[in-house]
Amino acid sequence: MASQHTMPVTTGARTGRNPQAPERQPDRRDRLPLQQDRAAVRQRLELAVVLAGTAVLYLWNLGASGWANAFYAAAAQAGSQDWAAWFFGSSDAANAITVDKPPASLWIMGLSVRIFGLSSWSILVPQALMGVGSAWLVYLSVRRAAAPATGDVRLAHRAALLAAAVLALTPVATLMFRFNNPDALLVLLMTAAAYAVLRSVQEDRLRWVILAGVFLGFGFLAKQLQVLLVVPGFALAYAAAAPGGLPRRLVRLAYAAAAMVVSAGWWLLAVELTPAGMRPYIGGSQNNSILELTLGYNGVGRLTGDETGSVGGGNGWGVPGLLRMFSDEFGGQVAWLLPSALILAAGLLWVGRRAPRTDAVRASVVVWGSWVLVTGLVFSFMAGIIHPYYAVALAPGIAGLTGLGAVLLWQHRRQAAAAMFLALAVAAAALIAFYLLGTTSAYGPWLRWLVLGGGLTAAAGAGLNKFLRVRSVQRATAVLAIVASLAGPLAYSVSTAAEPHSGAIVSAGPAPGFGAGGRGPGGFNAGGRNASGRGTGQGFTGQGLQQATPGGTGGSGTTTPGGTGGSGTTAPGGAWISRRPRRGHGRSPRRTYSNRRRCGRAQERCIALHLGSSRCGL
Amino acid sequence: MAALKSGASHYTWAAAVVGSNNAAGYQLATELPVMAVGGFNGTDPSPTLAQFQDLVTQGKIHYFISGGTLRSSSGSNAAAQIAQWVSENFTPQNIGGTTLYVLGR
């Protein structure tokens, strides 16, 4: 097997990588500047359509949720009336007591209420826009990593679009970006940090390393220690894959850590240094201490279940265990593509195992994969307060892995391993969707069977693509795989958007009346979940699927007509592996900069314009 | 609600009620500060009974609204003490199904 793909790989290295290669066949799409621009314009339009669709999903009928979580809505109102209340995150404008979180997300809502007046919309629209922003950042992160790896900007664009669509359609993301908990800002900031880390791996600019730390620090001010779950993985990715020697990388990591500490610490210090009589009581603590809140109630207490003053407790938060994310409570929120994302991540690591140390794809897998694994495992095993909506923190990781993995493995599908990982991922998505859709009666039985049939067919098509070389069949396989994998989450997301959500504890998916039992721990009234998710779902479904499709892995578009799959400008091996021989030198900063000068544009824009020609340092 | 709003400018807090979610509802309806006694779960020791009594003496709180539910077995019982003190020293009024105590003058 190894020898089978070594040959084209080496050829690819010669043809695809040599700047002066006379044998480089200009693709139809990149011959004329006008056509290049047209391709770039088209990609922007497709991105705009996906982001606009996300905005509609997150903004539609938002007013129906009323105050959503009145606890935070009231604090936003307080912050709009009084700057001290705004700064400390007080529940009331007279500064009696704060919410049991730091105030970063209230800063934004409070400003919005101050500017636009108190209403559902002034509180919830910023949250929805954070969702659109997160999808956009996932798009940028994935496209940036996939561009050099695929050697084809259009493919990279599709991988990124798929990732953005996966994030947008994760039901719990639809829930939380239509809600006013701090989770929306936390997800936005963690995604921004992931983007900054990946960019610093590719660009070797101190600025982005520092910014990653700043984003994480402010993530702490959104929801305290939860942000730390992604930090080890981000640091590992940077330490392993960034350019330069190890000592230099470690020093830069220390800068990032310092930036993180300063970004979070200034506020903690301000609170600690303000005499207790001049500030509100720190809600959620027993001793009026922000440190106690951080380390106890919202810290270690969450892991051990030892949280003084909490409601429930004991086993009131469901049974911790490896399968918690697939339980009735959590499954419909986030589990749809969770195993598939991990399978695709494994596939990326395997297929790219010979890539150089600085490979952006491997760095991406470490960033997104560690994010999903660490956060997912902590959520699975923590004994303290946990709610199903926390799972929104997993969504960008799943999205990044899915977009990158699906498209890159599809590009390399001629390799048996890549085809196998793809087939497994698609089959896993189909089986889980079949199971999850079986827990509700909201959509009728046909949907789960269609998803199962379509998904398994697509999985077989991906696994056996060697024997199905007809281009239209390959294309149909890719489209079917995407449609089948996203249909379930899409249905749940539309149901989520169609219902008003309010109260302290909310969950995504069709209304409980449809039999997705086990929602939310007892003792709290989720409240307000009365509308049916049916009916209105229909028109949306068609629209959403169309948006998702252009983001698809229709990688066979690179084939020359009548070709055997994936032989366009680059050999089937693609630039990812074939670039290896020269990459060790090629990634040095000096080379990047010199190429940037030659191109005269930022590298990313350059790639978009020149489709991976040597002028961009590809 | 009209009762909460009337004369609110004379008070720092239009009302006090146990638990942040209860307070939030009144605060969003009136856009006036409503004290969440005991914080989110009603189990934080803020304010203490003595602090609350001081604030009442200073005339800073207009109403106490009963009905905050205490769900936790752990944490402070300051909120419960306050509720008890109010019910023993003030006269309840029933306005629209809600029990109010007038603390202010």
Side-chain angles (χ1 to χ4, degrees):
Chain A
M1 191 189 80
S3 63
Q4 264 177 1
H5 66 257
T6 310
M7 275 307 291
V9 160
T10 327
T11 321
R14 300 225 175 92
T15 53
R17 295 275 298 154
N18 191 334
Q20 271 77 44
E23 69 269 38
R24 183 177 182 274
Q25 293 292 320
D27 187 274
R28 287 192 311 281
R29 290 184 313 277
D30 69 346
R31 182 175 285 167
L32 298 169
L34 184 65
Q35 286 175 325
Q36 289 165 8
D37 280 346
R38 199 176 285 168
V41 166
R42 185 182 160 176
Q43 287 168 11
R44 291 201 171 179
L45 276 179
E46 287 173 359
L47 172 64
V49 167
V50 167
L51 293 184
T54 306
V56 169
L57 181 65
Y58 291 172
L59 287 167
W60 184 262
N61 200 20
L62 209 46
S65 287
W67 300 121
N69 191 342
F71 176 61
Y72 292 116
Q77 184 271 336
S80 76
Q81 299 297 309
D82 182 85
W83 284 114
W86 180 82
F87 180 80
F88 290 112
S90 296
S91 284
D92 56 306
N95 291 304
I97 192 165
T98 68
V99 296
D100 57 0
K101 299 279 182 306
S105 113
L106 294 171
W107 288 341
I108 293 165
M109 282 187 266
L111 284 180
S112 174
V113 172
R114 194 177 271 267
I115 295 168
F116 298 107
L118 180 66
S119 74
S120 291
W121 290 87
S122 66
I123 287 171
L124 295 178
V125 168
Q127 307 285 103
L129 296 182
M130 287 177 203
V132 177
S134 301
W136 183 57
L137 283 166
V138 164
Y139 172 89
L140 292 178
S141 312
V142 170
R143 192 181 64 169
R144 150 171 292 285
T150 56
D152 177 344
V153 175
R154 204 176 64 156
L155 261 191
H157 163 73
R158 288 180 169 181
L161 223 46
L162 177 62
V166 167
L167 174 63
L169 295 182
T170 304
V172 70
T174 304
L175 177 73
M176 296 315 288
F177 288 124
R178 294 175 60 90
F179 206 65
N180 58 344
N181 274 28
D183 301 66
L185 181 63
L186 175 70
V187 167
L188 176 71
L189 288 168
M190 290 195 300
T191 312
Y195 171 78
V197 168
L198 290 173
R199 186 152 182 180
S200 67
V201 165
Q202 285 188 297
E203 257 189 21
D204 196 31
R205 289 276 186 90
L206 184 60
R207 174 199 313 170
W208 289 104
V209 190
I210 303 267
L211 265 179
V214 170
F215 290 137
L216 292 170
F218 277 91
F220 179 91
L221 292 184
K223 220 186 162 195
Q224 299 203 306
L225 294 183
Q226 187 181 329
V227 75
L228 294 184
L229 296 180
V230 300
V231 172
F234 286 10
L236 178 69
Y238 184 82
L246 187 61
R248 182 164 175 277
R249 282 176 265 151
L250 292 180
V251 166
R252 294 196 154 203
L253 267 186
Y255 288 151
M260 183 174 86
V261 168
V262 169
S263 303
W266 68 273
W267 184 81
L268 295 182
L269 202 63
V271 173
E272 279 293 298
L273 292 182
T274 308
M278 296 175 64
R279 61 164 170 79
Y281 184 92
I282 303 300
S285 77
Q286 291 294 313
N287 298 308
N288 197 6
S289 152
I290 188 69
L291 293 180
E292 184 204 332
L293 178 69
T294 304
L295 300 173
Y297 181 81
N298 285 333
V300 181
R302 294 281 169 130
L303 304 179
T304 62
D306 179 21
E307 291 161 291
T308 308
S310 90
V311 291
N315 50 18
W317 311 112
V319 185
L322 193 57
L323 292 179
R324 190 189 239 175
M325 288 299 128
F326 301 91
S327 64
D328 283 348
E329 251 182 82
F330 280 84
Q333 318 286 312
V334 77
W336 303 89
L337 294 174
L338 176 55
S340 306
L342 295 175
I343 292 169
L344 292 171
L348 285 174
L349 289 180
W350 175 256
V351 174
R353 65 193 180 283
R354 298 215 185 88
R357 178 182 69 74
T358 54
D359 181 47
V361 172
R362 190 188 295 117
S364 300
V365 173
V366 173
V367 163
W368 305 121
S370 67
W371 179 335
V372 172
L373 277 180
V374 175
T375 305
L377 288 174
V378 169
F379 283 174
S380 295
F381 288 101
M382 65 194 253
I385 302 176
I386 180 164
H387 304 303
Y389 67 75
Y390 288 9
V392 69
L394 297 172
I398 293 173
L401 290 176
T402 305
L404 202 57
V407 171
L408 272 172
L409 294 182
W410 178 258
Q411 192 189 24
H412 294 267
R413 64 191 178 279
R414 304 280 299 157
Q415 292 182 39
M420 186 198 73
F421 279 113
L422 261 187
L424 274 178
V426 177
L431 289 172
I432 289 194
F434 182 73
Y435 166 73
L436 290 174
L437 289 171
T439 61
T440 174
S441 57
Y443 310 108
W446 53 271
L447 180 61
R448 67 192 293 237
W449 287 103
L450 274 186
V451 164
L452 183 71
L456 291 183
T457 307
L464 303 174
N465 74 79
K466 253 185 199 178
F467 309 106
L468 305 166
R469 293 186 182 177
V470 186
R471 183 180 163 182
S472 58
V473 173
Q474 300 236 343
R475 180 161 274 222
T477 301
V479 171
L480 186 60
I482 291 169
V483 171
S485 302
L486 290 183
L490 173 69
Y492 258 58
S493 278
V494 170
S495 293
T496 305
E499 280 176 56
H501 292 274
S502 59
I505 294 170
V506 286
S507 79
F514 293 110
R519 287 179 182 285
F524 265 97
N525 178 15
R529 300 174 43 96
N530 42 20
S532 142
R534 251 191 237 197
T536 41
Q538 290 307 329
F540 241 75
T541 307
Q543 190 194 0
L545 281 179
Q546 276 177 0
Q547 285 158 11
T549 311
T553 50
S556 46
T558 47
T559 43
T560 46
T564 53
S567 59
T569 41
T570 50
W576 186 18
I577 300 177
S578 61
R579 291 160 41 81
R580 185 169 80 93
R582 292 185 44 202
R583 197 143 180 202
H585 310 290
R587 300 306 296 172
S588 81
R590 181 192 285 174
R591 185 183 153 79
T592 305
Y593 296 148
S594 71
N595 277 303
R596 169 172 300 174
R597 270 201 301 279
R598 280 168 65 189
C599 179
R601 291 174 189 267
Q603 189 180 24
E604 206 175 336
R605 172 79 182 131
C606 177
I607 292 170
L609 275 179
H610 303 298
L611 292 159
S613 79
S614 57
R615 286 151 77 190
C616 316
L618 277 178
Chain B
M1 290 313 142
L4 288 191
K5 282 186 174 174
S6 67
S9 58
H10 302 297
Y11 301 92
T12 308
W13 287 278
V17 60
V18 175
S20 297
N21 276 304
N22 299 314
Y26 294 110
Q27 183 168 308
L28 288 166
T30 61
E31 301 198 30
L32 295 168
V34 175
M35 180 189 286
V37 176
F40 185 72
N41 298 315
T43 52
D44 298 341
S46 170
T48 61
L49 178 56
Q51 287 166 340
F52 190 83
Q53 288 167 336
D54 277 353
L55 292 173
V56 172
T57 314
Q58 293 165 28
K60 294 202 167 176
I61 306 174
H62 197 176
Y63 293 103
F64 184 84
I65 306 170
S66 76
T69 49
L70 291 169
R71 290 176 297 250
S72 178
S73 50
S74 62
S76 160
N77 66 347
Q81 290 173 13
I82 289 169
Q84 192 182 353
W85 175 75
V86 168
S87 67
E88 284 168 0
N89 290 280
F90 294 89
T91 318
Q93 299 180 3
N94 196 315
I95 300 181
T98 307
T99 306
L100 287 178
Y101 298 88
V102 183
L103 307 181
R105 290 152 294 202

